[in-house]
Amino acid sequence: MATRLSDTSHEALGLSGDDLLSMYRTMVTARLCDEAAFRLNRQGKAPFVVPVSGHEGCQVGTAWALERGRDIWLPYYRDVAVVLVAGMTPKDIFLGLFAKADDPSSGGRQMPSHWGSRRLSIISHSSPIGTQLPHAAGIGYAVKYRKEDAVVACWFGEGATSEGDWHEGLNFAGIHRLPVVFVCENNHYAISVAQTKQMAVENVADRAAGYGFPGVIMDGNDVLACCRVMKEAVERARAGEGPTLIEAKTYRFQPHTSDDDDRTYRTREEVERARHNDPLIRFAGYLKEHGLIDDPGLQAVQAELKDEIDRQIDEAWNAPDPDPSTLTRHLFAEP
Ligand SMILES: Cc1ncc(C[n+]2csc(CCOP(=O)(O)OP(=O)(O)O)c2C)c(N)n1
Ligand SMILES: [Mg+2]
């Protein structure tokens, strides 16, 4: 597909030029974290990497519509850019990757990419796919019951929508008109299983009708389109009008994880074609078109962020490991 500029204007979304540059920087940060994590994996320093590359547009676009300190975030393992918007730093991400004592998600106990932070209202998820959906519905129920001022957002892949948990979560949210936004990042694969082998419908969003609330499809590589759709869904939730299911059509550029060989189930030509629709390149085009940055400016952002991320990675690498005497903490009652 040809590179195409966003047809959603930032002015219409209430976003300033500075907001756009921050969004772009967050997307670049996520991409650079991926590249660094893969390098560290090949050096034997990072055991298991879950890449984000390709999903930065839909992750930053949707997460940007939430408010830190007010809303509740239930990301899944691929959501590096979502947790950056929620307030995690690259250092936090690499503390988790290296299983260090100060890993905010679990003190080095969970697998990498199982994000969690009480301080940032990020709810930790389990490895079984789709378990965060009933959690999101339950938290949405609590928010509504206690008349709290929060919207709950829950991200997942299209593969998760084959799980019973997914359907139960949406059904419950629809019945009780809960303030939850369900965000599907549809990259058309669940590891090696193509979408056509996962479901007999073309759009995940069509399934929302079965639960009595709207489903919206969006171009997941257009960060501003994602932001617009998410803002509308968040407003609906805040106004007490119930949940929305939104579906971002996107693509992952890397294998499923550092343990996957994607050459066994998709052609290099397919991946190359998808790269022509890279959300970073498209957003850079939008920024240039609006006079917010030029090519040297883009290169400077890239270089500055790379230095900063490398510095934070060094800090994370040199941080202390968990104390072995705490091995059984959170598992057994302690005297
Ligand atoms: C219940 C369950 N079944 C299988 C797995 C193995 N598994 C891990 S990730 C994954 C693919 C999920 O695909 P999708 O939801 O589309 O997200 P994506 O990784 O494509 O972003 C699978 C099958 C699992 N973790 N849990
Ligand atoms: Mg998928």
Side-chain angles (χ1 to χ4, degrees), residues 30-43 46 49 94 97 306 309-310 313:
R31 178 73 56 95
L32 290 172
C33 283
D34 242 24
E35 290 172 5
F38 267 99
R39 251 189 338 268
L40 291 158
N41 176 261
R42 296 298 182 260
Q43 292 168 5
V49 177
F94 284 89
L97 194 58
K306 186 172 179 314
I309 291 165
D310 285 347
I313 291 172

Side-chain angles (χ1 to χ4, degrees), residues 317-332:
W317 179 252
N318 292 319
D321 292 322
D323 179 347
S325 72
T326 66
L327 186 67
T328 58
R329 185 172 295 166
H330 310 307
L331 293 175
F332 302 104

